[in-house]
Amino acid sequence: MINRLAIIGVGLIGGSLALALKKTGAVNEVVGYARSEDARKEALELGIIDRAATSVAEAVTHADMVFVAVPMGAMSAVFAEMAGHLNPEAIITDGGSAKAQVVEAARAALGDKFRQFVPGHPIAGTEKSGPSAAFATLYKEHRIVLTPVAETDAAATAMVKAMWQLTGAEVFEMDVEHHDTVLAATSHLPHVLAFNLVGMLAERDDCAEVLRYAAGGFRDFSRIASSDAVMWRDICLGNREAILALLEEYHQGMNKIEKAIREGDGDYLIEVFARAKKARDTRFADPNLIDNSEV
Ligand code: NAP
């Protein structure tokens, strides 16, 4: 049972955790902080939080569990603001999409409370943001990755794991570097590709005409380009090395495809496309392996 849960950032990720836990009756009170008064008001009206705090410090005071769900670039300032106001026993966790940068920010700001910080990442989401995007079942049957480090208190990790399990999620542990490499491939690179393609088409003078003939494939591929620009800027800069390594590999692949198209090398195209199709139809289609709803 959580007596007071503080949600720092009551948007899609923070708001959905609050709603899911409230539904289970496992939390007595949810105190929420969002930057804008409008968002705080909306979160109150939607029943996501019981009380709105006007500062991070106020939100975490007397909280026994603190969940940080702001864009990654804001985490450092949020940790610094909360550091002197945390309960001695408070457990702190987060939902940031890449972990190394968040772990370093927490280590630098939280001092002796760093051992009570359990880094986490819910592999669930949508392209929507803000309190109105939150819903109680977002995490149900989705995966949550926790990336505790050497200093992390095992009891704190167990508490955070138990909290996520209450939402219906499956919880895994991974080391930080592995998490950031894996997520760069399955989530971060696809977002960069979608932003680039949609942005490129939007610049065309005949954009409206082009989109008139777009079909389901384009809709599927372009959906994630509706995601929040600030959040994705922060993920790209926060997981820079892993994303750059993948972009390099991707460019190499694209160069080979471009060469094959230019030279009329149909055999090469068949080889690449058939290999991808086979993987997508078999291994990638396995619901035990891939969470197709991840953004
Ligand atoms: P969101 O819906 O936009 O909510 C972000 C919240 O953070 C809002 O309450 C916002 O307040 C607050 N905020 C924004 N900038 C801030 C700042 N500089 N200082 C303090 N608070 C600030 O975003 P989200 O989708 O929930 O994402 C939150 C975190 O979860 C991010 O770190 C993201 O990487 C991670 N994540 C997202 C997804 C996804 O699918 N969206 C999935 C997994 C993990 P205002 O509304 O008042 O600005």
Side-chain angles (χ1 to χ4, degrees), residues 4-293:
R4 184 176 291 175
L5 170 70
I7 303 280
I8 311 300
V10 275
L12 169 71
I13 295 299
S16 295
L17 178 65
L19 287 173
L21 292 176
K22 279 181 144 210
K23 214 168 142 189
T24 67
V27 56
N28 268 342
E29 188 191 21
V30 180
V31 181
Y33 169 78
R35 238 180 351 174
S36 65
E37 198 182 332
D38 282 355
R40 294 195 290 265
K41 215 169 130 219
E42 196 181 12
L44 272 173
E45 282 166 7
L46 292 169
I48 296 172
I49 57 175
D50 303 308
R51 188 157 64 77
T54 53
S55 69
V56 173
E58 183 195 337
V60 304
T61 301
H62 304 309
D64 39 10
M65 180 70 79
V66 176
F67 181 57
V68 182
V70 299
M72 282 173 46
M75 294 233 181
S76 208
V78 163
F79 290 135
E81 202 183 330
M82 75 172 62
H85 302 271
L86 290 162
N87 256 7
E89 302 301 319
I91 293 171
I92 311 109
T93 185
D94 79 301
S97 303
K99 302 306 334 153
Q101 191 198 46
V102 177
V103 167
E104 283 326 302
R107 186 181 269 120
L110 294 178
D112 60 356
K113 301 266 180 4
F114 178 65
R115 53 189 298 280
Q116 290 152 241
F117 172 67
V118 183
H121 177 207
I123 314 292
T126 73
E127 69 282 14
K128 311 260 180 357
S129 41
S132 61
F135 56 102
T137 53
L138 174 63
Y139 303 115
K140 195 170 171 351
E141 289 165 16
H142 284 267
R143 292 169 189 162
I144 309 293
V145 179
L146 301 181
T147 61
V149 295
E151 300 98 307
T152 315
D153 179 39
T157 304
M159 286 285 288
V160 172
K161 182 175 179 185
M163 175 183 80
W164 279 115
Q165 283 170 334
L166 287 170
T167 69
E170 213 183 338
V171 185
F172 294 84
E173 284 185 32
M174 236 186 231
D175 71 52
V176 168
E177 292 70 26
H178 186 54
H179 169 279
D180 287 0
T181 310
V182 168
L183 268 294
T186 54
S187 174
H188 308 169
L189 180 67
H191 275 80
V192 172
L193 303 184
F195 282 127
N196 184 51
L197 178 71
V198 172
M200 186 185 98
L201 294 184
E203 287 293 298
R204 289 172 63 124
D205 293 339
D206 62 349
C207 177
E209 175 67 1
V210 168
L211 292 185
R212 195 192 309 272
Y213 299 105
F218 181 74
R219 188 197 55 221
D220 292 349
F221 186 69
S222 66
R223 178 180 65 83
I224 54 178
S226 298
S227 302
D228 184 68
V230 169
M231 174 177 139
W232 282 95
R233 174 202 64 190
D234 289 358
I235 292 170
C236 285
L237 299 181
N239 197 19
R240 185 187 312 240
E241 297 309 326
I243 295 172
L244 284 176
L246 279 160
L247 274 173
E248 172 68 32
E249 203 178 322
Y250 192 82
H251 285 311
Q252 285 169 14
M254 286 306 285
N255 287 341
K256 287 187 197 160
I257 289 174
E258 186 186 325
K259 181 168 178 282
I261 293 173
R262 185 174 293 116
E263 293 172 1
D265 185 353
D267 290 347
Y268 182 75
L269 297 178
I270 289 282
E271 184 193 320
V272 173
F273 298 166
R275 197 182 330 125
K277 176 177 164 46
K278 189 170 169 219
R280 181 69 176 85
D281 292 348
T282 55
R283 281 182 296 152
F284 284 42
D286 177 355
N288 295 316
L289 188 68
I290 196 168
D291 182 345
N292 279 313
S293 58

